[in-house]
Amino acid sequence: MLQVLFDALSLGSLYALGALGIALIFGVMRLVNFAHGDVIAFSVFALLWPSTDAVAIVFAGHLPWFLLIPFVLAVGAGLSVLSEIVVFRRFRHASPATMMIASFALGFVIRYFLLMLFSSRPKSISLLPALSQPVEILGARMPLLQLITILATIVMLIALSVFVRRTRFGLEMRAAAENFTMARMLGVRANRVIMGAFALSGALAGAISIILGAQTGTADIQMGGAVMLMAFIATVIGGLGSLEGAVLAGFLLGAASVVMQTVLPPEARPFRDAFVYGAVILVLLFRPQGLIAARGTKERV
Amino acid sequence: MASFPKVKSVALRTISTPLILSAVLVVLALVTVAYGSRPFNQTMIDIFVRVILVTGLYIFVGNSGVLSFGHIGFTCMGAYAAAWLTMPPMMKELSFPGLPDWLKALQLPYGPGAVLAGIFAGVFALIFGRILMRLSGIAASIATFAMLAMINTIYANWESVTSATNSVVGIPIVRTIWPYLIGAIAAVFIAWAHAISRHGLALRAARDEPTAALASGIDIPRVRLVAFTLSGAVVGLGGALMAHSIGVVTPDTFYLGLTFITLSMLVVGGIGTLTGAVMGVVLLSLLIQGLRWLERGVPVGESTFALPGGLQEILLGVVMIVILARRPSGLFAREFVWPARLGARRRNSSAATRNVPAGDA
Amino acid sequence: MTRTRLMTGLSALALAVTPMTGALAEDADGNIVVGFATAETGFMQAYDKPAQDAAMIRIEEINAAGGLLGKQIKVVNADTKTDRAEGAKAGLSVLDAGADMVVVSCDYDFGAPAALTAESSGKVSFFLCAESIKAGVQGVGPHSFSASVLAAVQGATMAQWAHEKKGARDFYRLLDTSYVYNKGICDGFDWMLPTLADANLAGEDVFKNDDASIAAQISRIKALPKEPDAIMLCTMMPGAVSAIKQIRAAGINSMILNGSAVDGSYWLSAVPDLSDFYVPVQGSVYGDDPNPDVNAFNALYKEKTGSDPATQYTYPGYVMIDVWAKAVERAGSIDAGAVVAELEKMDGEPTLFGPRTFTPELHHQNKARYLIAEVKDGKPGIVDEWTISEPVPMEALMK
């Protein structure tokens, strides 16, 4: 039982971090960023030296952990900010559909850029190998990484919520998320807030890539995709624009997935995702605005 | 409803759009038949299949303004239905042992098979739509995505009926271009007929002025459902023809990759117009082919100029971003009309006609 | 006058078009043409390229020794871009370029569209390394073959070998449902297990290749009263590395049995000091193959391509050209029917990577000699050789 709880929490952490990254950007510019998954993949590949050989040439991956983690976060943040400056800045007034397709096109460019440099073969890297030890807590044996994932996510969430609530920048960001036009009129500098949101979102993508990299031992150009989709769904059922909702929904989706895997009979287990997505539709039907509806995103009719 | 103009006169005034688009497709087909090699013929067949898919997508997305990530699920259903209906009974016994006996014994020609496959997909679109069309905006988009993921999970795991992730072979392959041309033209006319119908007009009214539309008594979920069902059927037909063009179906063909490609073509072409749907496919496909041709190498004088492998996709993405940044409502925000000045005049005409496709700007 | 000019224009046009559409019968220079409709870009490229390089080595050897039926083998290529629709086009392209035999992508899903174009033109097609029974008579048609060994044979080989040589009795079956190949491995395992004395299935579970975490699946293994002797892991890259890493990180030390898809040392750095890990391979890329000719081939491959073969999936490309060329020599023609008939006569035909058998019912290997590679303390090496006692029966293959 306890084991299931930990499994659910660790998977939920990944989804929650992903959902937060998507919700942050959606909050300030109504952009559903489909390039997020590719930022995750890019952050892992930044640890490797470009080569199309089967064997990965580890480059920054050899850094000690206290340098490696900031490095990956910075790469994620950097790429994310760069994508804002080069691409999304030109789409401030475009419709959500246009922005969404532009973000998809950007993700496509990043993915094929990685493919050109590294080939499609997944690369193996040993990221923070010390974390692959089993530990025992309250009778549940789990990989140390699982525990650290949960703890790190909680710490990051607390830090972020303090940041958003207590600092001027956070205040501006929340104001922008609620009513961007009004916030601008009240003197919030739009570019700064949006860049800040992109940087935070990119750093969260970097965090996910460290966890995924350490957990799977693999750098794969498609590695961000599955997490991003779940995160995307979590953002919506959490209530678009609501950061708390995104986190809550991320954990719920992780839990739903783990619980289904645990309780479904073997014949039904391959259909696990169909049940999870079915639940998503149900939630949407009953709460179309999401679990925690953010003010200002409701459709005014 | 009475305030809308009579359908007949709208039809007369807007028919030039589907006629011009069909003419473009016919010319492409004729050029292919006259000069093309077999691979080129296959390329053109692919383009026509995509025209059907994107036009089908347009029927719902373009008119309702709700992005759907789920339509490729109906394409999947159409493709598998075509496999169920047209494969030789012996091959079906191998691939789909769980099908009912009457279906296993049945073997239709591809034409009726494709039409039935479209209807099959349409019926499921109706069923899903009944549930999903209550939602709007981004919640509806996500719900359609969840539907796609459900359909994909079921088709990728239901061994006895879909052969799970196994590629299904034995579907009759059709390599002549005409059936695909007919399918594409049919899709264009269906989309046009829907757009000028009472439901189509009401749906666009609801897209542009939801409050006013509600106030004038438009049942938004209902008009959306009509479009969703019709577009589900058209993309289902596209799926069936896609199956016949390659001869292989497998669930992962009909997932996120195709979803994004078709959506991109629609948005780049112009999300709100039929012309955008058709021309988006034609132009982006030609661009892709051109880049592939460059990638393979083009003789320039003595030497050969070739793009490094993989650069083609990167350039495609960049071109898409540039187009969208320059023209956020797509390359064709206005329909093709003939004679051209008719369109110009309409801009000044009464508000009642503003929402017919030809004047939709 | 005008008419003449028009006619000249038209015939010039026809001439311009001919190189693309014509040339179906015999190659103009009297060469034999092998067409590669394989992935030069995209996801499958990493898998197609090595096998294709190996095939090229065999082609060069044959050409150097005087060619086939006294003619040189010419190669034409078309890129499938790792896309099914492009695959069909690539197949048509190489056929239009006069291919007498069409080589298609390694994976069944991606190779089938091109193979179907060859089939409908009545040409022989070979999958570089597909391991599904459909890559042959049962799927593509009577002119289609695969150069590799059925996935089910790998699962069966590992189960029987672990039972006989390692005393494994309690097996756990962990299947990745994302790919057909994985199911093939587990199908072979399922067929073999009941035939093994005292062996039983301690439990089973499924996951998906791109699952971010398989914690729930691992918890189920740990909830067993006793750790299983062996885990039959039916998966492929990159999910395999992730699953193995998570299994070991959770402290499960059962031996792990796999299909050939996880062969290679390139990924071992991800799971430092991995032990008790077993893979069936057709030949060794580690330089310790019992057959010195294989090691010589590895050296030649390195000379041609600049690096050692990364995995055993390099080898089927060589085998493919080898058996096809022998069949052509014996048939005395490149006529597809005659070549197929000769291929179907092969019974235990020796190749560099073990004997090969084709029959009119099966254009694939349902029994094969496998080397067993063990990873011990993070180092791979060949430890044994095993051939299953019975061929995998049709019922198990058609599941």
Side-chain angles (χ1 to χ4, degrees):
Chain A
M1 193 56 224
L2 195 64
Q3 188 84 52
V4 174
L5 181 70
F6 277 119
D7 291 346
L9 277 178
S10 69
L11 186 60
S13 298
L14 275 178
Y15 294 160
L17 290 176
L20 202 52
I22 289 174
L24 273 170
I25 294 182
F26 185 86
V28 294
M29 67 182 287
R30 297 289 173 269
L31 159 68
V32 178
N33 187 7
F34 275 112
H36 199 65
D38 299 291
V39 175
I40 294 176
F42 187 90
S43 309
V44 174
F45 276 100
L47 297 173
L48 304 176
W49 192 253
S51 109
T52 50
D53 287 346
V55 180
I57 303 169
V58 182
F59 152 60
H62 284 316
L63 292 172
W65 65 271
F66 54 87
L67 290 177
L68 186 137
I69 292 173
F71 175 78
V72 176
L73 298 187
V75 167
L79 181 65
S80 192
V81 169
L82 193 69
S83 69
E84 203 284 316
I85 295 172
V86 176
V87 178
F88 295 121
R89 186 158 293 184
R90 290 163 225 299
F91 288 90
R92 289 280 163 79
H93 304 291
S95 72
T98 305
M99 280 202 281
M100 209 184 272
I101 296 299
S103 76
F104 162 69
L106 175 69
F108 195 73
V109 169
I110 298 175
R111 202 174 325 143
Y112 277 90
F113 179 67
L114 289 176
L115 190 109
M116 221 164 104
L117 291 185
F118 293 95
S119 95
S120 58
R121 203 190 277 275
K123 305 272 179 168
S124 293
I125 64 172
S126 180
L127 202 55
L128 309 174
L131 297 185
S132 300
Q133 315 287 333
V135 288
E136 195 148 341
I137 297 166
L138 307 173
R141 244 163 93 81
M142 65 168 85
L144 183 57
L145 177 67
Q146 214 175 336
L147 186 70
I148 295 200
T149 303
I150 298 171
L151 290 179
T153 305
I154 293 172
V155 169
M156 271 188 274
L157 293 181
I158 292 175
L160 200 68
S161 91
V162 169
F163 175 75
V164 170
R165 286 179 199 289
R166 297 266 187 269
T167 63
R168 182 178 162 76
F169 188 81
L171 182 75
E172 289 185 351
M173 200 178 260
R174 277 190 300 147
E178 242 165 54
N179 190 333
F180 193 74
T181 327
M182 178 64 86
R184 279 193 84 162
M185 284 179 200
L186 294 176
V188 171
R189 275 156 299 175
N191 278 345
R192 214 180 74 134
V193 167
I194 289 177
M195 290 235 294
F198 270 92
L200 276 179
S201 162
L204 285 170
I208 294 173
S209 77
I210 294 175
I211 296 171
L212 273 183
Q215 181 154 291
T216 62
T218 307
D220 177 27
I221 49 172
Q222 304 172 27
M223 66 189 295
V227 173
M228 183 195 67
L229 282 179
M230 276 296 182
F232 180 33
I233 291 172
T235 317
V236 175
I237 61 175
L240 262 174
S242 157
L243 302 184
E244 297 90 342
V247 172
L248 175 69
F251 276 111
L252 281 179
L253 273 179
S257 197
V258 166
V259 169
M260 300 252 187
Q261 182 73 31
T262 311
V263 301
L264 286 176
E267 318 80 71
R269 260 178 250 158
F271 296 95
R272 177 196 71 198
D273 286 358
F275 291 100
V276 174
Y277 288 112
V280 166
I281 292 183
L282 279 182
V283 170
L284 286 174
L285 285 177
F286 286 104
R287 293 200 65 107
Q289 304 300 341
L291 299 171
I292 301 176
R295 273 160 297 171
T297 51
K298 287 198 186 79
E299 224 172 318
R300 292 181 199 87
V301 175
Chain B
M1 294 289 158
S3 66
F4 288 118
K6 276 190 206 136
V7 169
K8 195 183 161 204
S9 65
V10 176
L12 275 180
R13 271 187 288 111
T14 56
I15 189 125
S16 65
T17 303
L19 285 178
I20 294 172
L21 292 174
S22 304
V24 170
L25 297 177
V26 169
V27 167
L28 285 175
L30 289 176
V31 167
T32 308
V33 171
Y35 304 122
S37 62
R38 287 202 295 172
F40 187 76
N41 183 63
Q42 189 71 19
T43 304
M44 204 48 78
I45 287 176
D46 276 0
I47 293 179
F48 287 163
V49 167
R50 294 226 166 121
V51 166
I52 302 174
L53 296 183
V54 175
T55 306
L57 195 58
Y58 157 80
I59 294 176
F60 177 71
V61 176
N63 291 311
S64 74
V66 176
L67 267 195
S68 165
F69 294 107
H71 273 70
I72 296 305
F74 301 127
T75 309
C76 180
M77 289 185 162
Y80 274 87
W84 293 335
L85 291 167
T86 61
M87 274 167 64
M90 233 184 63
M91 308 272 308
K92 276 194 249 184
E93 189 58 57
L94 285 179
S95 292
F96 316 119
L99 284 183
D101 286 334
W102 64 268
L103 186 53
K104 266 193 266 188
L106 189 71
Q107 188 183 5
L108 293 178
Y110 70 88
V115 171
L116 282 180
I119 292 172
F120 174 79
V123 169
F124 273 89
L126 178 66
I127 296 169
F128 277 110
R130 290 280 302 179
I131 305 167
L132 299 181
M133 287 307 110
R134 283 191 263 159
L135 297 169
S136 46
I138 194 109
S141 301
I142 284 299
T144 55
F145 169 71
M147 175 193 81
L148 170 69
M150 281 176 79
I151 294 174
N152 182 265
T153 309
I154 291 168
Y155 273 73
N157 288 290
W158 197 358
E159 295 272 357
S160 63
V161 174
T162 65
S163 211
T165 42
N166 269 304
S167 296
V168 174
V169 290
I171 303 162
I173 301 179
V174 181
R175 294 215 198 278
T176 49
I177 203 164
W178 308 116
Y180 302 95
L181 176 68
I182 293 168
I185 291 178
V188 167
F189 274 91
I190 291 173
W192 167 76
H194 168 260
I196 60 161
S197 74
R198 215 154 46 94
H199 298 296
L201 292 170
L203 185 57
R204 277 199 308 286
R207 174 193 72 190
D208 297 334
E209 303 289 346
T211 320
L214 265 182
S216 58
I218 291 176
D219 180 354
I220 296 180
R222 200 184 123 76
V223 289
R224 275 193 189 153
L225 182 60
V226 170
F228 195 72
T229 307
L230 195 60
S231 74
V234 172
V235 297
L237 171 78
L241 288 178
M242 193 169 158
H244 289 297
S245 75
I246 319 177
V248 183
V249 292
T250 155
D252 73 340
T253 317
F254 306 102
Y255 204 40
L256 295 174
L258 193 58
T259 298
F260 280 116
I261 289 170
T262 47
L263 268 179
S264 302
M265 287 178 163
L266 179 59
V267 172
V268 170
I271 195 168
T273 64
L274 181 56
T275 306
V278 175
M279 294 311 289
V281 176
V282 172
L283 292 181
L284 273 189
S285 302
L286 291 180
L287 174 69
I288 292 171
Q289 283 308 318
L291 288 172
R292 283 185 181 164
W293 184 61
L294 280 181
E295 202 173 64
R296 225 174 299 143
V298 186
V300 180
E302 295 289 291
S303 60
T304 310
F305 168 76
L307 292 175
L311 200 61
Q312 173 235 321
E313 283 86 357
I314 296 178
L315 284 178
L316 176 67
V318 171
V319 169
M320 274 171 54
I321 291 173
V322 170
I323 293 176
L324 290 174
R326 288 289 163 95
R327 310 192 64 141
S329 29
L331 290 171
F332 300 90
R334 197 180 295 270
E335 301 282 8
F336 282 163
V337 284
W338 190 86
R341 61 193 158 79
L342 201 69
R345 196 193 308 151
R346 184 151 322 104
R347 258 179 283 147
N348 306 323
S349 64
S350 72
T353 54
R354 216 181 58 203
N355 277 318
V356 301
D360 200 356
Chain C
M1 186 63 193
T2 328
R3 177 167 297 176
T4 337
R5 196 172 292 162
L6 185 71
M7 293 301 286
T8 327
L10 275 181
S11 47
L13 209 101
L15 274 178
V17 175
T18 314
M20 298 165 93
T21 52
L24 266 172
E26 258 282 307
D27 180 66
D29 320 325
N31 292 329
I32 290 178
V33 182
V34 173
F36 284 88
T38 51
E40 290 162 29
T41 47
F43 176 72
M44 282 307 296
Q45 185 265 353
Y47 302 88
D48 284 359
K49 181 80 173 25
Q52 187 166 338
D53 287 339
M56 290 308 296
I57 289 178
R58 187 70 191 117
I59 289 174
E60 283 166 24
E61 285 174 358
I62 292 172
N63 280 343
L68 198 54
L69 304 176
K71 298 171 185 170
Q72 289 287 298
I73 302 177
K74 195 180 105 185
V75 170
V76 293
N77 295 297
D79 186 2
T80 67
K81 314 251 0 150
T82 314
D83 179 278
R84 291 176 182 83
E86 287 296 315
K89 279 178 228 166
L92 293 169
S93 296
V94 297
L95 286 167
D96 282 0
D100 299 300
M101 192 269 269
V102 179
V103 178
V104 304
S105 235
C106 184
D107 183 75
Y108 175 67
D109 288 340
F110 289 101
L116 286 169
T117 64
E119 188 67 37
S120 52
S121 304
K123 299 287 179 189
V124 175
S125 64
F126 255 99
F127 286 82
L128 272 177
C129 47
E131 298 182 335
S132 156
I133 190 168
K134 290 196 171 178
V137 189
Q138 284 74 11
V140 174
H143 298 93
S144 177
F145 292 81
S146 172
S148 194
V149 177
L150 287 162
V153 177
Q154 300 163 23
T157 302
M158 292 320 288
Q160 195 175 41
W161 177 81
H163 180 265
E164 305 291 323
K165 294 292 191 76
K166 288 281 166 181
R169 293 296 177 266
D170 290 339
F171 289 85
Y172 194 89
R173 177 183 184 270
L174 188 53
L175 166 67
D176 161 8
T177 54
S178 307
Y179 301 102
V180 184
Y181 164 81
N182 307 335
K183 291 179 192 165
I185 303 269
C186 269
D187 287 345
F189 168 83
D190 291 345
W191 164 73
M192 182 55 88
L193 192 68
T195 70
L196 304 174
D198 305 328
N200 77 300
L201 190 63
E204 59 181 319
D205 208 346
V206 293
F207 67 107
K208 277 172 61 186
N209 202 277
D210 61 355
D211 274 346
S213 156
I214 60 162
Q217 288 84 342
I218 285 172
S219 296
R220 196 188 298 276
I221 301 180
K222 289 200 297 188
L224 293 173
K226 170 175 162 294
E227 191 170 85
D229 298 326
I231 296 172
M232 182 74 231
L233 185 61
C234 309
T235 181
M236 62 192 278
M237 299 299 173
V241 179
S242 168
I244 294 157
K245 196 169 161 80
Q246 292 180 61
I247 289 171
R248 286 293 187 249
I252 297 171
N253 294 314
S254 309
M255 64 189 223
I256 301 179
L257 310 173
N258 306 268
S260 303
V262 296
D263 180 38
S265 57
Y266 63 93
W267 59 271
L268 289 174
S269 61
V271 196
D273 301 323
L274 179 66
S275 283
D276 288 319
F277 185 85
Y278 301 92
V279 189
V281 294
Q282 295 172 28
S284 171
V285 295
Y286 310 113
D288 59 351
D289 199 285
N291 182 354
D293 290 346
V294 172
N295 298 324
F297 170 83
N298 289 347
L300 184 62
Y301 181 89
K302 183 165 189 174
E303 188 190 311
K304 298 270 182 202
T305 66
S307 56
D308 285 315
T311 76
Q312 63 119 32
Y313 283 101
T314 311
Y315 302 139
Y318 187 89
V319 173
M320 168 186 76
I321 297 295
D322 196 40
V323 293
W324 171 76
K326 277 182 189 157
V328 172
E329 285 290 354
R330 285 172 200 168
S333 108
I334 49 161
D335 173 67
V339 174
V340 168
E342 282 302 327
L343 278 164
E344 286 171 351
K345 281 184 207 158
M346 288 185 177
D347 185 3
E349 185 74 32
T351 76
L352 195 47
F353 303 96
R356 291 290 178 266
T357 302
F358 298 105
T359 66
E361 291 76 40
L362 188 64
H363 288 179
H364 220 306
Q365 310 303 313
N366 57 3
K367 181 178 179 180
R369 176 222 61 159
Y370 264 111
L371 302 176
I372 309 292
E374 175 183 12
V375 177
K376 192 174 184 181
D377 300 325
K379 296 270 178 300
I382 303 299
V383 291
D384 205 351
E385 189 176 312
W386 192 259
T387 308
I388 45 175
S389 46
E390 294 280 316
V392 182
M394 231 17 153
E395 307 88 76
L397 294 172
M398 294 303 294
K399 252 176 88 178

